[in-house]
Amino acid sequence: MEATRESSVVETTALFGEARNVGPPVKLVVLNGDSEGLARTLGSAVSVGADATSDLVLSDRGVSRRHARFEIRSDGRVWVRDLQSRNGTFIQGTRVNEAELSLGTVVQLGETQIGLFPRWHVREVEPSSAQRFGELHGKSLASREVFAVLERVSGSDVSLLIEGESGTGKELAARSVHQASLRAKHPYAVFDCTTVPKDLAESELFGHRRGAFSGAVADRIGAFQRADGGTIFLDEMGELPTDVQPKLLRALETGEVKAVGDGSYRKIHVRVIAATHRNLNAEVRRGRFRSDLLYRLAVVRVHLPPLRARPDDIPLLVERLLGDQLAEGDTIEGPNLHGLMSYSWPGNVRELRNVLARAVALSGNRPGSVRFAQLIFNLASDVDAPATLGYCFPGVATPLGYKEAKQQLLSQFEAEYIQALMRRHSGNVSQVATAAGLSRKHVYELLRRIGPPSHGED
């Protein structure tokens, strides 16, 4: 089926058999395509689209920036609503604006199929009462659930797999676990799978002997040996070359490593923490990652939530990141804080840190005299960021030329203006054209350029 084909648009309440209360907790699972294996729990609502701010981000050219919204309503029933997507939302070949779903229903967005399945989950650890764990800070329930797991596993030697988007603090979490463990006084070694050439990965992990290969002019110890007695952090585990994976698995299972060019194994004693932004279950299905290695790494598995899923943490994070740069007695509140909490933060805490640093640097104030309310946060790259006091026009707080800044401002105006009219007129292009004084052709061209309206959804 081609997602772009013409089809009659229908609104229905239970398209396929009598819809029923879903009952147990449910989740959305991507069944095919590049995003295969991605899953999101449907707590109340999940936005789906190609935009990085969506709760479930799909890598599919046929999927609109904000394509659809799945939600559980007050009566316990699950619905999907199309957000005026370019190619539509389909169930069994029928295009729908809104439809009630039952367990097992498959919804198609672009070329991607998403299934609705039960989620069987028992909370193993109650949320922590602490608002920090090592170098991680947060007071939201999502953060405290993570802290509770990390607190428990720090005292053991089990392997830990930390998952999460870029910028969520996976390395901070790993380092904090090491610092809270019985191995804290022993070495902590980092092996980043993305920075090592594939043909040198084995040598960097396990070391090599002089003459083992061209360029090996001296013996070299690997990351595992450097971490002996302590912890090794394997960052971006999903990028590890497939030919090295069985050798890593053997090291984890036997506690022995063999340097390249060496004829014997050496006993080591390390605790392994791995991290990835990839869905390793999907990588296993694609044949890019060994299932037995995944099982060995993920004895305990923890997911760091993105910043957009825990806005309650932002005031605490801002206070920590600004530190003693603020004037004595200054408070973190008001329109500036509202703006930061409303932004989607595609770069997560790393982006927040950079935004704050830039605002302080451009304020011209010395450390200890900065006023939070007077800072200007340039978040204009997100067209959904609210225009609150303290925000600036795009380009003004950065050294863009006049023409570039003007074009950026006009592009943002077009996007916000047309999207607002689309929401006001429920997506009726004729009414939007009349209200704007434009031709329908012009409106369609603007929509093609800026993408579908956001409906105010995150």
Side-chain angles (χ1 to χ4, degrees):
M1 180 190 72
E2 294 182 359
T4 56
R5 72 180 187 183
E6 291 298 322
S7 176
S8 58
V9 178
V10 300
E11 295 187 14
T12 179
T13 60
L15 273 172
F16 310 105
E18 182 179 355
R20 59 189 184 281
N21 287 333
V22 170
V26 295
K27 62 182 178 181
L28 304 175
V29 180
V30 180
L31 303 177
N32 67 331
D34 290 340
S35 302
E36 179 185 352
L38 283 180
R40 288 292 180 271
T41 299
L42 189 57
S44 56
V46 170
S47 59
V48 183
D51 191 89
T53 63
S54 298
D55 298 318
L56 181 56
V57 181
L58 299 179
S59 300
D60 182 341
R61 291 185 178 181
V63 171
S64 296
R65 190 171 62 87
R66 298 186 186 274
H67 197 113
R69 177 184 173 93
F70 293 78
E71 61 183 16
I72 299 179
R73 297 186 177 173
S74 58
D75 59 2
R77 297 174 182 268
V78 177
W79 288 74
V80 61
R81 176 161 57 90
D82 184 81
L83 301 180
Q84 296 188 9
S85 63
R86 181 174 64 254
N87 292 331
T89 298
F90 292 80
I91 301 177
Q92 290 188 4
T94 302
R95 185 169 183 170
V96 300
N97 275 346
E98 192 173 55
E100 187 176 350
L101 307 177
S102 57
L103 290 176
T105 300
V106 175
V107 180
Q108 181 142 353
L109 315 179
E111 297 297 328
T112 302
Q113 295 179 335
I114 298 177
L116 181 70
F117 299 103
R119 169 181 172 262
W120 305 107
H121 172 72
V122 177
R123 176 180 281 167
E124 298 173 286
V125 182
E126 289 301 310
S128 173
S129 59
Q131 295 189 8
R132 65 170 292 182
F133 175 78
E135 300 177 57
L136 300 174
H137 296 81
K139 65 179 183 179
S140 66
L141 175 61
S143 290
R144 290 187 293 109
E145 286 181 330
V146 169
F147 296 167
V149 174
L150 298 181
E151 288 167 357
R152 297 290 183 92
V153 302
S154 294
S156 73
D157 272 346
V158 298
S159 298
L160 172 64
L161 177 62
I162 304 172
E163 300 171 299
E165 297 177 7
S166 177
T168 51
K170 296 186 290 296
E171 184 169 358
L172 294 181
R175 192 160 59 234
S176 297
V177 169
H178 171 72
Q179 292 168 348
S181 73
L182 298 176
R183 298 173 178 267
K185 295 182 179 180
H186 297 281
Y188 174 79
V190 178
F191 179 82
D192 188 342
C193 300
T194 63
T195 61
V196 179
K198 290 184 178 181
D199 56 348
L200 293 179
E202 182 180 356
S203 169
E204 292 293 325
L205 265 180
F206 308 123
H208 65 251
R209 291 298 186 189
R210 177 183 177 183
F213 51 84
S214 177
V217 296
D219 290 352
R220 177 183 175 86
I221 65 171
F224 267 92
Q225 292 163 291
R226 293 198 305 274
D228 197 9
T231 303
I232 184 170
F233 174 52
L234 304 174
D235 198 11
E236 291 304 344
M237 194 66 235
E239 312 303 323
L240 187 69
T242 54
D243 61 327
V244 180
Q245 291 177 21
K247 298 171 184 177
L248 174 59
L249 176 62
R250 188 189 188 284
L252 297 180
E253 292 182 336
T254 66
E256 296 178 336
V257 298
K258 184 172 71 170
V260 178
D262 199 348
S264 59
Y265 285 89
R266 173 182 173 178
K267 199 73 177 176
I268 55 163
H269 187 52
V270 299
R271 198 265 180 88
V272 177
I273 302 177
T276 181
H277 75 283
R278 292 189 180 277
N279 185 318
L280 292 187
N281 292 95
E283 294 297 288
V284 168
R285 285 190 287 273
R286 296 182 183 118
R288 300 174 187 167
F289 202 84
R290 291 178 63 107
S291 60
D292 46 6
L293 178 57
L294 175 58
Y295 299 144
R296 187 64 181 76
L297 289 169
V299 176
V300 175
R301 201 167 185 168
V302 62
H303 180 82
L304 300 187
L307 187 55
R308 63 181 176 274
R310 49 189 183 100
D312 290 347
D313 288 346
I314 290 179
L316 178 61
L317 291 172
V318 171
E319 182 178 2
R320 296 288 306 181
L321 292 171
L322 289 180
D324 57 5
Q325 298 184 83
L326 290 176
E328 184 177 355
D330 195 35
T331 57
I332 298 172
E333 59 185 8
N336 257 357
L337 177 59
H338 173 73
L340 294 179
M341 294 180 68
S342 301
Y343 183 60
S344 59
W345 298 109
N348 293 296
V349 180
R350 182 181 294 123
E351 183 184 8
L352 174 62
R353 180 185 296 109
N354 293 340
V355 165
L356 294 175
R358 181 175 65 226
V360 170
L362 293 176
S363 72
N365 294 317
R366 290 174 297 183
S369 63
V370 174
R371 294 287 178 180
F372 179 74
Q374 296 174 355
L375 293 175
I376 295 177
F377 301 123
N378 186 6
L379 305 178
S381 59
D382 188 332
V383 297
D384 295 323
T388 57
L389 190 64
Y391 278 75
C392 65
F393 292 120
V396 174
T398 54
L400 290 180
Y402 172 78
K403 290 183 178 179
E404 292 87 350
K406 178 181 178 181
Q407 184 57 49
Q408 191 174 345
L409 178 59
L410 288 175
S411 297
Q412 182 179 341
F413 164 76
E414 284 183 344
E416 294 183 349
Y417 179 78
I418 292 300
Q419 288 183 349
L421 284 181
M422 288 289 287
R423 289 192 291 268
R424 182 179 304 170
H425 296 287
S426 302
N428 188 308
V429 174
S430 295
Q431 293 179 12
V432 169
T434 299
L438 301 172
S439 67
R440 291 180 62 195
K441 181 179 180 181
H442 194 171
V443 172
Y444 278 121
E445 175 60 27
L446 289 172
L447 289 171
R448 184 194 64 77
R449 187 190 315 157
I450 67 177
S454 66
H455 289 262
E457 314 288 359
D458 284 335

